[in-house]
Amino acid sequence: MSTKRDYYEVLVVVKTASQDEIKKAYRKVAMQFHPDRNPNNKEAEEKFKEAAEAYEVLSDPDKRAQYDRFGHAGMNGNRGGGYGGGGMNMDDIFSNFGDIFGNDDIFGSFFGGGGARGGGNRRGRGTRGSNLRVKIRLTYEEIAKGANKKIKVKKYVPCQHCGGLGAKDKNAFQSCNTCGGSGQVRKVTQTFLGQMQTVTTCPTCHGEGQTITSKCGHCKGEGRMYGEEMVSIDIPAGVQEGMQLSMSGKGNAGERGGAPGDLLILIEEEPHPELQRDGLNVAYDLHISFPDAVYGTSLEVPTIDGKAKIKIPAGTQSGKIFRLKGKGFPSVNSYEKGDQLIHINVWTPQHVSAEEKEMLDKLQSSDNFKPNPEKSEKGFFEKVRDIFS
């Protein structure tokens, strides 16, 4: 089970909070636990990263909807894990969310205050890579127990020759002439209310604060090349068709050292030859002969994890439903587990021989073979209601 705290609890907001409220809450928590305000405090640093992880999910409408539906398990391919932001470093946090802190000195000094790879003021770092989406098809057995899948993902990977910088070497950089290394351009305009100053990302260096004087000959200055990566994905038990998991940092590499995108994993269920899924429950249609229904019998039925033997009592009626407790799917977000429901169908022959017809004619005249349901026998709708109650 996950030991992660609820993201709404981390940011101290209610589940109906607006995007603006979530942004303000994140800024407040991040400033409280900022490492510059809590030097050599490992606990504060972890809470600072935890807040960034929570904001990364709750600030994205799609990720937030997925989290609201499936919790932490819906945000990561790791069993019991949450969204992969726990491994974020400070550069990742600044690259993704640095803009929400405005011009606070404390954040300016921490997030690259030393400048663009060694000089200048606060800056962004490269361009974040785009997300990738893949589909993974799972059997009932894999869904019930969880699975590890290793897949090759074709994507942009950091250039091995320049280390993702995009430059020929570490000295092939210069401070941006347009913004002076700050990564921002300030413009003052005169309005009827007086002077108004606006700050925008530098169009020349795109917020990096520096430009490349000599590009890497292999990646042509992008800091990345098209290739492939073997990705190991841990699928938690109990996932469902259409559920989307997310692995942070496993998408396309960013340009010039930018943070990588995420890998989004769409779950597909492979149909079972005999079983059908209904939420956490598994349904199976069992056909028995008329003599077996009269005398009773013991039969083997398929389950998710093998065979199970059940006893059919004498006098079992068609439509009877037996329940195998705990033989269904586990819940992805709790300890709850579904059942296997076995629906009995008494097989009626469509063709009979002359001898069989003669025997049936004799049986038809017997009072014992005339329908006479007991008052205690539940009707169809009562049985359905019992199943789902």
Side-chain angles (χ1 to χ4, degrees):
M1 293 298 295
S2 173
T3 58
K4 285 180 175 288
R5 288 203 296 158
D6 180 79
Y7 288 147
Y8 293 99
E9 178 186 339
V10 171
L11 298 185
V12 197
V13 292
V14 296
K15 288 193 174 183
T16 56
S18 66
Q19 286 297 313
D20 188 54
E21 290 172 330
I22 288 173
K23 184 175 182 179
K24 289 179 180 177
Y26 169 50
R27 190 175 190 276
K28 180 179 179 181
V29 175
M31 291 181 71
Q32 178 184 352
F33 295 109
H34 188 280
D36 280 4
R37 289 183 172 179
N38 302 271
N40 301 318
N41 188 330
K42 187 66 177 178
E43 182 180 355
E45 181 181 336
E46 291 305 315
K47 288 186 176 180
F48 181 75
K49 292 180 180 180
E50 182 185 45
E53 176 183 340
Y55 181 69
E56 184 175 13
V57 173
L58 299 185
S59 63
D60 185 300
D62 292 335
K63 292 177 183 177
R64 183 178 180 182
Q66 197 72 16
Y67 176 73
D68 288 343
R69 184 179 178 190
F70 297 108
H72 289 300
M75 307 311 301
N76 195 342
N78 297 323
R79 284 188 182 90
Y83 190 76
M88 296 171 70
N89 56 40
M90 298 305 178
D91 278 340
D92 292 333
I93 295 173
F94 170 64
S95 178
N96 291 334
F97 318 124
D99 61 311
I100 77 167
F101 297 115
N103 293 318
D104 284 353
D105 290 339
I106 185 170
F107 285 98
S109 64
F110 179 74
F111 288 120
R117 293 186 182 90
N121 300 319
R122 177 179 173 273
R123 47 166 284 277
R125 182 186 173 192
T127 303
R128 186 180 188 275
S130 59
N131 294 339
L132 287 176
R133 192 184 303 269
V134 297
K135 294 179 180 179
I136 289 187
R137 198 171 180 86
L138 302 172
T139 65
Y140 276 23
E141 291 78 9
E142 290 172 327
I143 293 172
K145 298 178 181 179
N148 176 269
K149 294 287 188 178
K150 291 181 172 62
I151 61 172
K152 282 186 179 180
V153 180
K154 292 185 177 180
K155 62 176 186 175
Y156 283 104
V157 297
C159 177
Q160 298 299 313
H161 301 277
C162 66
L165 297 179
K168 183 179 180 180
D169 54 54
K170 63 181 180 179
N171 298 317
F173 293 95
Q174 69 177 14
S175 182
C176 177
N177 295 326
T178 303
C179 64
S182 68
Q184 298 175 333
V185 176
R186 287 175 169 79
K187 183 179 181 182
V188 178
T189 56
Q190 191 71 32
T191 70
F192 69 93
L193 295 176
Q195 288 186 338
M196 180 175 293
Q197 179 177 274
T198 58
V199 180
T200 58
T201 300
C202 176
T204 302
C205 66
H206 306 290
E208 293 184 46
Q210 61 182 7
T211 56
I212 298 174
T213 56
S214 181
K215 294 180 179 180
C216 170
H218 298 274
C219 65
K220 310 303 180 186
E222 282 195 22
R224 64 180 187 174
M225 300 178 70
Y226 199 71
E228 64 179 23
E229 180 186 355
M230 181 68 74
V231 179
S232 178
I233 304 172
D234 283 328
I235 310 293
V239 294
Q240 299 180 35
E241 173 87 23
M243 183 175 176
Q244 182 173 279
L245 309 180
S246 176
M247 293 186 72
S248 180
K250 291 299 182 179
N252 280 316
E255 295 182 32
R256 298 178 304 281
D262 300 334
L263 181 65
L264 308 178
I265 304 117
L266 183 66
I267 299 298
E268 292 185 340
E269 292 181 4
E270 185 175 314
H272 194 282
E274 297 175 286
L275 305 176
Q276 286 187 320
R277 183 172 185 174
D278 184 11
L280 297 183
N281 293 330
V282 177
Y284 176 66
D285 279 320
L286 176 61
H287 292 82
I288 64 174
S289 68
F290 179 69
D292 282 342
V294 174
Y295 298 128
T297 186
S298 292
L299 296 171
E300 278 192 340
V301 296
T303 68
I304 295 174
D305 55 359
K307 298 283 187 179
K309 201 165 189 177
I310 66 167
K311 185 177 181 180
I312 308 296
T316 294
Q317 302 295 319
S318 188
K320 177 73 175 178
I321 295 175
F322 294 97
R323 184 188 296 264
L324 295 180
K325 197 72 176 174
K327 287 293 185 179
F329 292 100
S331 171
V332 76
N333 277 331
S334 70
Y335 291 107
E336 184 182 3
K337 196 169 186 181
D339 305 325
Q340 178 159 329
L341 307 175
I342 301 169
H343 181 256
I344 300 298
N345 297 279
V346 178
W347 181 256
T348 303
Q350 297 179 341
H351 305 284
V352 294
S353 65
E355 184 181 358
E356 291 168 338
K357 185 177 184 302
E358 184 179 345
M359 289 188 292
L360 289 172
D361 287 340
K362 290 179 181 180
L363 293 175
Q364 190 173 23
S365 61
S366 172
D367 290 339
N368 194 38
F369 283 86
K370 291 180 181 178
N372 185 25
E374 298 178 1
K375 291 183 178 179
S376 60
E377 182 71 19
K378 292 183 178 181
F380 172 76
F381 292 106
E382 289 180 291
K383 292 178 182 177
V384 173
R385 185 168 60 246
D386 286 346
I387 291 173
F388 295 102
S389 62

